[in-house]
Amino acid sequence: MSSSSICEEKLALWPQPASMTHHMMQKSTIHSIPIRPVANTPNQWKLQISDSVPSSPLVGCHGVLERALQRFLKRILPFQEPDIADYTTAKFAKNGWWNVSRTLERIDTISVSIYAEDAHSLPDFNPLAPQCNDTTGNLLTETNRLGMEEYYDIAISDGSNAIKITAKTVLGVIRAFSRLPQLVTWTGNVLGIPCTPLAIMDYPQFAWRGLMVDTSRHFLPIPTLKRILLGMDALMLNVFHWHIVDAQSFPFQSLVYPNLTKGAYHPHAVYNQTDIAELITYASDMGIRIVPEFDIPAHTASWGVGYPELTIKCPTVSGEQSRAARNFDQSMREKLIDKIALDPVKKDTFDFLLNFLSEVFALFPDEYIHLGGDEVNGPCLSTDPGLKGKQSAVLHSQFTKRILPLLELNKKIPMFWDEVVSLPDIKLPKGSLIQFWRGQNELHLPTVYRASKNTKKVKPSGASSSKMVSDTAKENARKETAQNARGRGSRNKVVRTAKEHARKEAAQKTLDQAGQKARV
């Protein structure tokens, strides 16, 4: 194996940085890493922060950066380092990695600085930057929004005892600290960073890098959620999509409607608001936004446990009637009770949601709120005498339109599952986000494209344009049309196929034109 290949193996980073340059092994230096000291000994690490300019994005962020340093040290703690006196030329030669004539250089400092504003070589210099609280040193969660700048550089030079981090914002520095543990290697003799001098330049390809955690079907205590957040930080993910409640349980504590937690699995399986606020701050320290999901109007069986007047029970559809008769497969209950929904027309429903969602908005500072909107079940709704004969899609659309002004009033941007974009007579607010959970065969692509005019296009960092639905989806749709046209011998079928093909081509042309107008 070549020296360069060994370096690539030792520096197998994920996610891969935008660029990385390093020296080949036989010409490189081993930089020794001191482990975090035990209690009652001086801290061997120094964190140098350059924020002398009053407008620096690092002002007030010392606490955030100190905690980022501690996370880095904890991640390399499983490794043990021999005494410096034991580093002999023979041990280096035995490993065969480093040129034995090079000196051992010991890193004990991390230097953090922000690019000067005259750094004309960097694109989009006036970056979107979150702010820190001067008193607590915490990242202000309400200032960390979609599209924040996360660009950073890492440089480790020969003859230096410092790792140099340069970024545009404090988020970039946090991402650099997440990268550092991946550079550290334990050889059996040395805990260090191989292949130096080393330089990394990195920025995210995607502004939204999320992980969804469902705590309704599987309750997870706060310490477990914190471990998940630490894992997200290590992988540079930045959105914790918290699917906090669903039909199966309601583990969210509402001070306005306390009986909602009667729908929890157990009185102890509940997140109180103090715990939630602490978790939001904990996540924000790592540059992770928490976006909660309260799925409405369907998936709300647990809401009706404490407030039964809110929901349409539909026992024949949800399986409750069969379960009572002991002729029911328990494994199917989870899916069937998802069909139970809030009454989509009753005034009391909207009075309740006005008060409840206002409480949610005040607790979760992120600008986005996920309101689900998936799997509204027509047969369930039709069991209500007042809704019998009414189309579920129309009811769902009317319900959504009545909720949207509440979001606008509270300066929240909605997120929905993909069913919402195909509702009749629906116009979502500008910037809305749609998540697709269904396959292409279930999607009506022209409707999706039409709805995408108002929805947010989460662009890769540095890209000039992006498409909400990929070119692959378009190509698959064309292939499906062509395949449907083959093998049909009937004249009528051929005519219908030709008409369908023409309709799809016309729709495609309209969508392409719309896409050209949308591109900058």
Side-chain angles (χ1 to χ4, degrees):
M1 181 181 292
S2 69
S3 300
S4 179
S5 298
I6 294 174
C7 256
E8 296 297 339
E9 179 183 345
K10 292 300 172 186
L11 295 174
L13 310 183
W14 195 95
Q16 292 184 349
S19 72
M20 177 173 66
T21 57
H22 56 77
H23 279 219
M24 293 187 298
M25 279 290 188
Q26 68 266 27
K27 297 180 180 179
S28 66
T29 302
I30 170 65
H31 277 78
S32 165
I33 301 291
I35 65 170
R36 189 184 183 197
V38 297
N40 302 321
T41 62
N43 195 323
Q44 301 175 42
W45 282 90
K46 295 186 288 292
L47 182 61
Q48 296 177 348
I49 304 173
S50 300
D51 62 350
S52 56
V53 179
S55 60
S56 169
L58 297 184
V59 170
C61 295
H62 288 219
V64 173
L65 300 183
E66 286 285 355
R67 288 186 288 274
L69 171 62
Q70 295 307 315
R71 287 195 299 273
F72 160 64
L73 295 175
K74 286 181 179 179
R75 284 171 187 161
I76 62 173
L77 269 179
F79 303 106
Q80 294 297 319
E81 183 183 38
D83 187 89
I84 189 73
D86 292 335
Y87 294 149
T88 63
T89 300
K91 288 184 178 181
F92 290 123
K94 181 180 179 181
N95 284 307
W97 285 4
W98 295 277
N99 186 335
V100 297
S101 65
R102 303 298 291 267
T103 59
L104 180 68
E105 296 175 354
R106 188 177 182 88
I107 293 177
D108 61 6
T109 301
I110 296 182
S111 172
V112 175
S113 61
I114 294 295
Y115 286 107
E117 290 194 17
D118 60 355
H120 58 274
S121 61
L122 296 173
D124 303 326
F125 206 84
N126 298 319
L128 292 172
Q131 306 300 314
C132 294
N133 185 311
D134 290 339
T135 304
T136 64
N138 294 327
L139 201 68
L140 293 172
T141 54
E142 63 272 18
T143 67
N144 185 14
R145 298 171 178 267
L146 176 63
M148 294 286 104
E149 182 59 69
E150 300 177 76
Y151 184 106
Y152 69 87
D153 284 334
I154 296 174
I156 304 172
S157 304
D158 277 348
S160 171
N161 69 331
I163 298 171
K164 184 178 180 181
I165 296 174
T166 313
K168 295 183 182 181
T169 69
V170 66
L171 279 185
V173 180
I174 291 172
R175 302 298 173 238
F177 271 107
S178 298
R179 175 69 73 188
L180 289 181
Q182 300 181 20
L183 304 179
V184 178
T185 300
W186 173 248
T187 73
N189 297 317
V190 178
L191 179 65
I193 299 177
C195 304
T196 55
L198 174 68
I200 290 176
M201 183 276 289
D202 197 17
Y203 55 88
Q205 183 178 4
F206 299 104
W208 187 291
R209 305 181 304 281
L211 175 71
M212 186 179 81
V213 176
D214 184 340
T215 57
S216 169
R217 296 176 177 91
H218 309 278
F219 179 81
L220 300 172
I222 291 293
T224 301
L225 295 181
K226 287 183 175 180
R227 288 199 298 273
I228 291 172
L229 288 167
L230 284 171
M232 291 179 64
D233 173 58
L235 298 176
M236 302 185 202
L237 302 179
N238 68 344
V239 181
F240 181 80
H241 174 174
W242 193 356
H243 192 93
I244 188 168
V245 305
D246 207 291
Q248 288 67 36
S249 76
F250 200 101
F252 173 80
Q253 178 199 38
S254 170
L255 303 180
V256 179
Y257 294 107
N259 286 344
L260 281 170
T261 51
K262 289 184 177 181
Y265 287 130
H266 187 275
H268 293 163
V270 172
Y271 304 107
N272 65 52
Q273 295 199 7
T274 301
D275 288 340
I276 293 172
E278 180 193 348
L279 192 70
I280 291 170
T281 301
Y282 184 83
S284 183
D285 224 30
M286 296 176 275
I288 298 173
R289 299 160 45 218
I290 293 185
V291 177
E293 179 181 352
F294 290 86
D295 197 347
I296 52 176
H299 290 261
T300 49
S302 64
W303 300 49
V305 177
Y307 296 92
E309 68 279 6
L310 287 177
T311 55
I312 296 174
K313 300 299 184 291
C314 55
T316 57
V317 178
S318 66
E320 291 298 312
Q321 191 175 73
S322 299
R323 189 169 72 95
R326 300 187 180 278
N327 183 26
F328 185 77
D329 182 359
Q330 288 288 337
S331 66
M332 286 298 294
R333 184 170 184 265
E334 175 186 342
K335 187 65 178 174
L336 292 176
I337 66 169
D338 285 346
K339 302 178 188 300
I340 296 175
L342 298 176
D343 190 311
V345 298
K346 189 188 296 184
K347 180 181 181 298
D348 290 348
T349 300
F350 296 95
D351 291 341
F352 182 97
L353 290 174
L354 172 64
N355 296 324
F356 175 72
L357 290 178
S358 296
E359 180 183 25
V360 170
F361 297 155
L363 182 60
F364 290 92
D366 199 84
E367 61 183 333
Y368 283 91
I369 177 75
H370 202 310
L371 295 180
D374 61 317
E375 297 187 305
V376 175
N377 186 264
C380 179
L381 296 181
S382 64
T383 62
D384 185 277
L387 303 178
K388 196 171 184 63
K390 296 184 179 180
Q391 293 185 1
S392 61
V394 173
L395 293 170
H396 187 185
S397 178
Q398 293 172 348
F399 174 88
T400 303
K401 286 189 287 187
R402 291 183 67 176
I403 292 295
L404 292 177
L406 177 59
L407 274 65
E408 183 180 4
L409 181 65
N410 287 271
K411 298 181 180 180
K412 295 290 185 179
I413 305 173
M415 290 180 64
F416 293 103
W417 296 111
D418 57 84
E419 285 95 328
V420 172
V421 298
S422 59
L423 293 176
D425 192 30
I426 192 75
K427 184 176 181 180
L428 298 177
K430 188 174 182 179
S432 301
L433 280 180
I434 300 298
Q435 289 188 308
F436 292 84
W437 71 275
R438 296 181 298 171
Q440 288 183 31
N441 293 336
E442 298 175 276
L443 296 176
H444 187 241
L445 291 182
T447 303
V448 171
Y449 279 108
R450 185 170 64 249
S452 72
K453 293 179 181 179
N454 284 328
T455 52
K456 184 76 173 179
K457 299 168 179 63
V458 182
K459 297 191 294 186
S461 177
S464 60
S465 66
S466 67
K467 301 176 184 178
M468 186 173 181
V469 180
S470 67
D471 289 332
T472 303
K474 296 181 190 175
E475 183 62 24
N476 289 341
R478 284 194 288 268
K479 287 180 180 179
E480 183 180 355
T481 300
Q483 185 168 351
N484 288 339
R486 291 195 294 269
R488 294 183 176 180
S490 165
R491 175 182 173 82
N492 290 337
K493 288 184 178 179
V494 170
V495 170
R496 285 198 299 271
T497 302
K499 288 182 178 179
E500 178 68 5
H501 180 76
R503 184 186 66 79
K504 289 186 177 181
E505 286 295 323
Q508 186 65 56
K509 184 177 180 180
T510 301
L511 296 173
D512 289 341
Q513 291 172 348
Q516 290 173 1
K517 291 179 181 179
R519 288 192 287 270
V520 177

